[in-house]
Amino acid sequence: MSTTSATNHIGRKICRIRELRGMKQAFELGVSQQAVSNMERSPEIEVSLLAQVAEALGVTPEAIENFDEEAVFNIINNTFTSHDTSTLNAINIHPNFNPLDKLIQAYEENKRLYERLLEAEKAKVEYLERLLKNR
C-alpha cells in the first residue's frame, strides 16, 4: 500500500519538513544521500518507509501526509502577532542541538582565543624587550 494523490507529493513534504527541522544530512534519517534524494523526488512512498521517515523526523506519518507549508507559516505568523503561546507550543518547535553543549563549545572557543591572544602578547613583550636591550 502506498500514499499519494494529485496534490499530495509526499517526497516534497518530507523534504520540506526535513529542511524545517534543520536536518541537512542523510545520515540523520538513517539512509544514504541517494535514498533521501530518490525519496524526496517520489510523489508516493510505501507506508512502512513513511513510518520510518516520520520517526526519524520526529513527526507522525499523518503529519507528513497532511503537511501544508502555508498553514504552518500562518500558524507561526498568527502566533507571533497574537502572542498566543499555546499555538507555538502546538507546533512543537525543538532545537536539534543541546543548548548547554553549544554554551560549553562557545566557552571552550573563547578560552582558546584568549590563550592565543595571551601568547601573542607575550611574544610582543619579548620582542620589545629584545629591541630595548639591543639599543
Side-chain angles (χ1 to χ4, degrees):
M1 180 175 171
S2 63
T3 58
T4 188
S5 79
T7 60
N8 194 21
H9 193 287
I10 298 297
R12 281 191 219 118
K13 291 180 178 189
I14 290 171
C15 178
R16 195 62 185 126
I17 292 170
R18 179 182 57 78
E19 290 170 349
L20 289 170
R21 304 274 301 167
M23 300 175 80
K24 302 290 182 201
Q25 296 156 345
F27 69 85
E28 294 178 26
L29 292 176
V31 295
S32 70
Q33 181 63 42
Q34 185 177 10
V36 170
S37 181
N38 290 338
M39 184 183 346
E40 291 178 352
R41 283 193 308 256
S42 177
E44 59 184 46
I45 183 172
E46 293 298 318
V47 174
S48 60
L49 182 57
L50 180 63
Q52 284 180 309
V53 171
E55 183 177 338
L57 290 173
V59 297
T60 64
E62 294 79 22
I64 294 174
E65 291 172 339
N66 299 323
F67 178 74
D68 179 8
E69 190 167 0
E70 284 186 34
V72 170
F73 289 124
N74 285 338
I75 291 170
I76 291 171
N77 287 336
N78 290 340
T79 298
F80 289 117
T81 57
S82 70
H83 306 292
D84 178 13
T85 58
S86 64
T87 307
L88 185 59
N89 291 336
I91 298 172
N92 197 16
I93 297 175
H94 296 288
N96 58 358
F97 61 87
N98 183 343
L100 289 177
D101 288 343
K102 291 291 185 184
L103 182 62
I104 291 169
Q105 183 181 12
Y107 172 78
E108 292 296 326
E109 179 66 22
N110 283 342
K111 185 177 171 183
R112 285 190 298 273
L113 289 172
Y114 175 77
E115 290 169 352
R116 287 194 340 234
L117 179 63
L118 190 58
E119 289 298 319
E121 288 298 316
K122 285 180 183 178
K124 192 187 321 179
V125 168
E126 288 174 8
Y127 175 73
L128 291 173
E129 286 175 347
R130 278 194 314 252
L131 283 177
L132 285 174
K133 285 182 184 178
N134 292 334
R135 273 185 122 196

